[in-house]
Amino acid sequence: MGIQDFTLLYGLQLVASVLMIYFHFQFLTNLAEIAAQAMLPQRISLLCLRTIRTLFTTVTALPIAWTEVYPLAVVLGIVGVVIGICTCVVLFGLRKALKRDGMPLQPEMGK
């Protein structure tokens, strides 16, 4: 694998990371706004997750050969899984709270 292949591969990974950061940041920000409008406590959790996810994705996008720093790669993998599980727990809690408060979760068709 030559330097040009590595540069291209890293460039594609960097573009994917930037898109992922933008998507998750905007998605979690919008959900936090919905939670705020419904006066739900998940707003704070969503904003914290947004920041943590952004920092985590930024760190993992750094041009470091993670496979050469195996213990750090394992720790980052575990942290990534924990962040994913926490995100799921908060999103399911938000969905449950929105259903309980009677907010429609799906737009009505035909109106």
Side-chain angles (χ1 to χ4, degrees), residues 29-102:
T29 301
N30 291 349
L31 287 177
E33 182 60 32
I34 291 169
Q37 289 175 0
M39 293 183 280
L40 297 173
Q42 284 87 355
R43 176 185 177 272
I44 303 295
S45 299
L46 288 165
L47 293 175
C48 287
L49 278 170
R50 176 194 70 182
T51 303
I52 291 168
R53 216 172 226 299
T54 300
L55 290 173
F56 179 76
T57 305
T58 302
V59 167
T60 56
L62 293 174
I64 296 173
W66 296 109
T67 54
E68 294 177 13
V69 191
Y70 186 73
L72 184 58
V74 170
V75 169
L76 285 174
I78 292 169
V79 169
V81 169
V82 169
I83 290 171
I85 290 170
C86 290
T87 302
C88 289
V89 168
V90 171
L91 292 178
F92 281 121
L94 177 64
R95 182 175 186 261
K96 184 177 179 182
L98 289 172
K99 272 183 150 178
R100 184 181 58 236
D101 289 351

